[in-house]
Amino acid sequence: MTSKEFQAAIDEHQFRLVFQPQIDCSTRKLRGFEVLVRWDHPQAGLVMPDTFIPVAEELGMIGAITEQIITMALDWYKNTPKVHGTSISVNISGKSLLDAEFSMWLLDACQNASLPPRRVILEISEAATAHDHVLARVSLGRLRDLGFRVSVDHFGVSQSSLAGISDLPLWEVKVDKSIAMAGGPEAHETIKAIVNEGKSLGLTVVTEGVEDRETLQYLRSIGCNVAQGYYIACPMGGDLVEDWMVAHDEAREQNLL
Ligand code: C2E
Ligand code: CA
């Protein structure tokens, strides 16, 4: 993967977006969607983000890619009236987080799409805040002041504690999918501890990687706010979202979730 290939991917619009629903654990109502990218590579076929995002970051291409992804996501949101009022979560790399110009660009993009910033949740990896804590605090403060909500992604896999980031202006914490997917008493204890600590800090807690009904029931029993995972829905193309919403409402009304 080269810079030239990434530039061609941007110029030729080879990135595709999929959307994964997030639901309120207690009411099962839709909270919003996480935006996930795929690269429809002309030779390699569909390339997953874990493969190419780290390379794009290393080559200094992630800023331009993130802007294109966000532009596409806002366009989808604007043109899908049924999702209005729900939130849209986008993954942001550490570099964009620290970039003051990015926050102004984002505000402008939201205004053009008539989307209030409070509907936008910026998911940043925990590692991005650890690298330069002071700078992260300033950058996150700027985003918060503009009205955006910030979520700490991939939480619970390293040794860090919520206490260590309690001075950051965060709105949400996301328990990494590997924890719920591991299952068992140890995973349950980890999730419970993050839920309790997160809530005591006034944070919304999201658990992802929810692959079965029992996990969703457990999350509800411990007061986790939001769930995301294959049990609820796999990431889907934007054109499928409205039909999924109808089916989900029916399942919810019949207590099938
Ligand atoms: P992530 O932020 O932790 O995103 C969640 C990943 O977990 C997604 O994989 C999603 O498909 C998967 N997932 C969700 N629920 C389940 C489940 O119940 N079971 C299993 N097995 N997997 C589940 P995906 O789409 O391959 O994304 C991988 C990572 O790539 C993301 O992890 C995120 O760190 C990064 N990424 C994806 N899209 C973007 C993007 O637009 N920008 C940036 N900077 N990074 C992105
Ligand atoms: Ca994420």
Side-chain angles (χ1 to χ4, degrees), residues 16-105:
R16 307 275 173 262
L17 300 187
V18 285
F19 301 85
Q20 188 176 29
Q22 303 174 325
I23 63 167
D24 182 302
C25 290
S26 61
T27 63
R28 264 70 161 164
K29 279 191 181 156
L30 177 67
R31 191 280 293 251
F33 297 88
E34 179 175 5
V35 179
L36 297 157
V37 67
R38 277 90 182 92
W39 182 2
D40 192 1
H41 192 282
Q43 281 86 40
L46 215 57
V47 186
M48 296 302 275
D50 273 339
T51 316
F52 72 84
I53 292 284
V55 185
E57 283 176 346
E58 209 148 284
L59 292 173
M61 300 297 292
I62 192 66
I65 294 173
T66 301
E67 289 193 0
Q68 187 168 76
I69 291 167
I70 292 176
T71 303
M72 289 163 73
L74 295 183
D75 211 41
W76 168 78
Y77 192 99
K78 188 179 181 177
N79 292 309
T80 313
K82 203 169 164 61
V83 303
H84 294 177
T86 71
S87 60
I88 182 157
S89 297
V90 287
N91 291 285
I92 302 293
S93 83
K95 279 205 184 108
S96 302
L97 166 73
L98 304 180
D99 181 355
E101 275 178 25
F102 169 75
S103 53
M104 295 319 294
W105 176 87

Side-chain angles (χ1 to χ4, degrees), residues 20 34 37-38 50 91 153-154 177 181 208 211 230:
Q20 188 176 29
E34 179 175 5
V37 67
R38 277 90 182 92
D50 273 339
N91 291 285
D153 210 356
H154 308 140
K177 65 172 182 288
M181 284 167 63
E208 61 183 340
E211 293 195 335
Y230 291 177

Side-chain angles (χ1 to χ4, degrees), residues 28 42 53 68 71 103 140 148 168 173 181 192 198 201 239:
R28 264 70 161 164
I53 292 284
Q68 187 168 76
T71 303
S103 53
L140 294 177
F148 297 106
L168 297 178
V173 57
M181 284 167 63
K192 196 172 173 182
L201 293 169
D239 54 332

Side-chain angles (χ1 to χ4, degrees), residues 104-171:
M104 295 319 294
W105 176 87
L106 184 62
L107 184 65
D108 210 41
C110 287
Q111 279 167 352
N112 287 337
S114 313
L115 177 63
R118 69 172 189 284
R119 297 272 179 236
V120 179
I121 300 171
L122 303 170
E123 295 192 1
I124 53 151
S125 199
E126 195 203 349
T129 63
H131 181 63
D132 187 336
H133 190 88
V134 176
L135 194 55
R137 192 167 61 215
V138 172
S139 309
L140 294 177
R142 188 172 48 226
L143 289 163
R144 195 246 342 252
D145 293 347
L146 293 175
F148 297 106
R149 292 174 168 177
V150 178
S151 175
V152 181
D153 210 356
H154 308 140
F155 197 81
V157 277
S158 64
Q159 288 307 309
S160 53
S161 68
L162 274 176
I165 51 171
S166 62
D167 63 327
L168 297 178
L170 301 169
W171 187 74

Side-chain angles (χ1 to χ4, degrees), residues 211-239:
E211 293 195 335
D212 51 53
R213 186 172 202 207
E214 292 65 41
T215 305
L216 184 56
Q217 275 166 347
Y218 175 71
L219 294 177
R220 184 183 190 174
S221 76
I222 59 168
C224 180
N225 304 103
V226 176
Q228 176 181 345
Y230 291 177
Y231 175 66
I232 298 144
C234 292
M236 64 189 93
D239 54 332

Side-chain angles (χ1 to χ4, degrees), residues 179-207:
I179 299 175
M181 284 167 63
E186 207 181 312
H188 280 192
E189 278 314 304
T190 304
I191 297 171
K192 196 172 173 182
I194 299 173
V195 167
N196 289 339
E197 203 183 354
K199 290 181 108 177
S200 76
L201 293 169
L203 300 171
T204 295
V205 183
V206 182
T207 298

